[in-house]
Amino acid sequence: MPDLNAKSPVWAMIVLSDVTSTRRMEQVRSDFVANVSHELRSPLSALLGFIETLQGPASSDPEASARFLSIMESEAQRMARLIDELLTLSKVEADEHITPDDVISVDQIISDVAGLLSVRAMAKGMKLRTLVEKDLPPITGDADELTQVFQNLLSNAINYGSEDTDIRLDIGLVENLPETGVPGIFVSVTNHGEGIPAQEIPRLTERFYRVDKGRSRSMGGTGLGLAIVKHIVARHRGHLEVKSEVHKETSFTVMLPRFDENIL
Ligand SMILES: Nc1ncnc2c1ncn2[C@@H]1O[C@H](COP(=O)(O)OP(=O)(O)O)[C@@H](O)[C@H]1O
Ligand SMILES: [Mg+2]
C-alpha cells in the first residue's frame, strides 16, 4: 500500500465511466417506450375508427354494428392483455432471485395448465400428450410465475403448431443443470409446425420480437410471452433451451433446480 500521507509522489484518481454502455441502455429504453406506444396505439386507433363508424354510417345497420362491436371487443382485449403482460414483465424483469417459498409439484402445474388450454387445442384438432417420469421430486419456486411460464409455452405451441397434430409435454429429471450443475427437473413442450429458422432463435426472448408479426397479431399475441418466460426462469435459477427444425418440430425446454430443504 502506498503511504498517502507521504509528501511525494502526488496520487490522483481518475474515474472512467462507460459512456457506451449508458448510451446503449438509453437506446434500449427509448426503443421499448416507442414499441409500447406503437403496440397500444394500433388497437386504440382501431377502436376510435369503429366508434366513429358506429356513430355515423353503421348506426342504422344492426348486422354491421354487431360485427364491428365484436372486432372492438377483441381489440380492447388485446390492449388489456398487453397491459397485464407489461405489468408482469416489469415485476419479473428485475432478475432478482425469488424467495423459494412454495414447494411445487411441476407435474401438477402442467396438468392444470393443460386442462386450462385443452379447449383451445381441441379447437385446432390438437391432442396434448403428457409423459411424466416416475417419482419426480418437488422443486421450490413461485407457483403463479411457473404457471405463467408453462401457459405461455403451451399457448405458443397451440398458436404456432399445425392443425390436427399432437403437442407433447415431457417432464423428467436432469442430473446437472447447465451453468450451475445442480440437479433438477425439465419440462419440454414440443409441437409440429412451421418451426423457427435457426438465425431467429437467439432473438425470440427479446421484448416484442416476433418471427412473423402478422401471424402473431392474428393470434392475439403481444410479443412479450417469451420475454416473460426468460425472466421467470432466470429468477428460478433455471435454464431455457429452444430447438427447432423448420417444417418439423419445435421444442422449448425449461430446466429448474430441484427442491432443496437447506434453502427453506
Ligand atoms: N412453438 C413455436 N413455434 C414457432 N414459432 C414460435 C413458437 N413459439 C414462439 N414462436 C415465435 O416466437 C415469437 C415470440 O413469441 P412470444 O414472445 O410468445 O410472442 P407472441 O406469441 O405474442 O407473438 C412468436 O411471435 C413466434 O414467431
Ligand atoms: Mg406467445
Side-chain angles (χ1 to χ4, degrees):
M1 273 289 282
D3 178 1
L4 296 179
N5 294 320
K7 286 222 166 108
S8 64
V10 176
W11 290 87
M13 193 161 73
I14 301 170
V15 180
L16 293 171
S17 72
D18 187 349
V19 181
T20 346
S21 100
T22 314
R23 270 211 203 112
R24 204 177 318 122
M25 273 166 62
E26 272 167 17
Q27 184 63 42
V28 168
R29 200 191 58 82
S30 80
D31 286 353
F32 179 62
V33 172
N35 268 325
V36 170
S37 314
H38 173 75
E39 297 287 336
L40 284 171
R41 177 145 295 282
S42 48
L44 189 61
S45 303
L47 283 173
L48 290 172
F50 283 119
I51 289 171
E52 211 179 296
T53 320
L54 283 172
Q55 283 170 334
S59 58
S60 53
D61 182 345
E63 212 175 284
S65 300
R67 197 155 30 89
F68 294 158
L69 277 170
S70 122
I71 304 173
M72 288 168 76
E73 189 186 6
S74 69
E75 292 295 332
Q77 276 166 351
R78 180 207 291 282
M79 284 182 83
R81 207 166 36 244
L82 181 61
I83 290 164
D84 283 347
E85 293 194 358
L86 282 168
L87 287 173
T88 307
L89 190 63
S90 78
K91 191 180 131 217
V92 299
E93 225 175 14
D95 251 359
E96 281 162 16
H97 290 152
I98 54 131
T99 323
D101 37 16
D102 297 342
V103 176
I104 295 164
S105 136
V106 175
D107 47 324
Q108 185 57 51
I109 290 193
I110 296 294
S111 120
D112 293 347
V113 168
L116 214 67
L117 294 178
S118 62
V119 176
R120 267 179 55 199
M122 257 160 32
K124 275 186 84 175
M126 292 167 147
K127 276 203 197 90
L128 305 181
R129 299 191 183 281
T130 312
L131 288 165
V132 189
E133 249 176 56
K134 273 208 184 108
D135 303 324
L136 285 179
I139 64 158
T140 45
D142 182 308
D144 290 341
E145 289 190 8
L146 291 177
T147 302
Q148 175 93 67
V149 164
F150 299 119
Q151 252 179 30
N152 291 0
L153 294 181
L154 187 54
S155 158
N156 280 348
I158 297 170
N159 285 346
Y160 304 110
S162 307
E163 285 183 10
D164 304 318
T165 54
D166 287 355
I167 292 177
R168 233 179 45 234
L169 293 154
D170 294 289
I171 313 169
L173 285 169
V174 184
E175 263 179 45
N176 311 97
L177 254 77
E179 286 149 46
T180 55
V182 300
I185 281 181
F186 76 87
V187 178
S188 288
V189 183
T190 307
N191 71 271
H192 299 267
E194 266 174 45
I196 308 162
Q199 72 273 16
E200 306 276 1
I201 290 181
R203 300 201 59 188
L204 288 182
T205 56
E206 284 176 22
R207 297 175 296 198
F208 298 115
Y209 191 82
R210 290 110 149 178
V211 178
D212 179 345
K213 207 158 188 159
R215 176 129 191 236
S216 158
R217 273 176 179 281
S218 70
M219 304 285 176
T222 58
L224 295 177
L226 290 177
I228 292 173
V229 167
K230 176 179 95 172
H231 288 292
I232 295 179
V233 171
R235 275 153 71 78
H236 283 76
R237 300 173 172 82
H239 183 78
L240 174 70
E241 224 167 70
V242 187
K243 283 194 185 131
S244 187
E245 254 189 281
V246 175
H247 301 306
K248 278 193 181 156
E249 270 196 0
T250 299
S251 68
F252 284 78
T253 302
V254 171
M255 296 175 209
L256 296 162
R258 64 182 269 194
F259 173 64
D260 181 354
E261 282 115 348
N262 301 325
I263 51 173
L264 271 187

